[in-house]
Amino acid sequence: MNDFTNQQIQAYKPMTPAELASIVMNKQELYILDVRNEEDYSDWRIEGHGITSANLPYFDLLDGVEPALELLPEQGDVLVVCAKEGSSIFVAERLAESGRSSITYLQGGMKAWSEHLEPVHIGKLQDGGDLYQFVRLGKGCLSYMVLSGGEAAVIDSLRMTVVYKQFAFSRGARITHTIDTHLHADHISGGRALAEETGATYYLPSKDADEVVFAYSPLEHRSELRVGSTDLAIQPIYSPGHTIGSTSLIIDGQYLISGDILFVESIGRPDLAGKSGYWAGHLRTTLYDTYAALPKKLIVLPAHFSKYTELGEGGKVAAKLGDLFESNPGLHFTDEDTFRKAVTEQLPPQPNDYERIRQVNMGKETLTQDEQRDMEIGPNRCAIHDN
């Protein structure tokens, strides 16, 4: 192996999705050269407080990377990104051959980025329990694990169930409950599969389950689910609007799991089942009456985020309910007509393949792993302010 080849190997290397997640969540600086086509880049890309990115399609670089060299900063790390990995390796190698150093490529591409889950510790619970948030940076999905007394409950699980099983095992816990706050339309739920794999009980709001073709335990309003032997209560609160069955959870009297009803910078959309006219009134009642009557000290933990600006310290997505009633534009519509217009008209594009995803989550359609992965690519678009 000659000296040039040795230098070339040192000049570019893979960056894992976990390493990229650490950069984004810790607000570190990184320059990204995205070589997907312009349409894909415009629709969905890697963003963060310290992220600068540019788009040059791979096919424009086949005859040479000079156009890319003109864009890159003179110093600092550069990450090359494509859909699956192969194109970014090609471009990274050519950049290294040109003499650029500190070049990386995203291992597994945007498909791997879309599936990565990063656990974040939210806080301690009474009698020694813990609450974790799993941040899916590449999709904007958020799921949760309650750990207490050697048992675990997973809330709004994603289809990457192995992550939750490994995490619970590492904490010496057995998964006993999996809970969906509603029938999801933007991503494939892992709740039922995770329950089958671990022997846990799967809970789903019964009003969202009219068309499901599998067995479940109903998530009942004002009932209490307990995790472990400690005095930890997960209290379901019926909160329709995003779906007719949407149900929030109050955990330990400290946290409000809001599903797709209330986000940090927006509110949920009521149109993903074609019933926005009917569900809009329920959404307003949930937000302006049910939530308004809850203790303002509760920490809101949503099922999604739309923008990197919603990432707080350490990458967690959370806010006090009282603060959201001060700052969230979705909680400041002056009258019902204005509210109804905002949540039914001029909405952002609907999530990719949302109708088929609903069918999968009802158990009516079965897809391969590759088909599921392709259906979920792109942003979640569950909020009314996702334009």
Side-chain angles (χ1 to χ4, degrees), residues 324-346:
L324 294 186
F325 270 99
E326 294 290 332
S327 63
N328 191 312
L331 299 175
H332 285 270
F333 293 107
T334 56
D335 58 70
E336 186 171 351
D337 288 342
T338 304
F339 179 90
R340 181 176 291 275
K341 184 176 181 179
V343 302
T344 59
E345 300 178 14
Q346 299 179 338

Side-chain angles (χ1 to χ4, degrees), residues 231-252:
D231 187 20
L232 168 64
I234 301 178
Q235 184 184 69
I237 304 294
Y238 181 51
S239 47
H242 177 67
T243 67
I244 195 60
S246 291
T247 299
S248 306
L249 302 172
I250 296 179
I251 298 179
D252 208 26

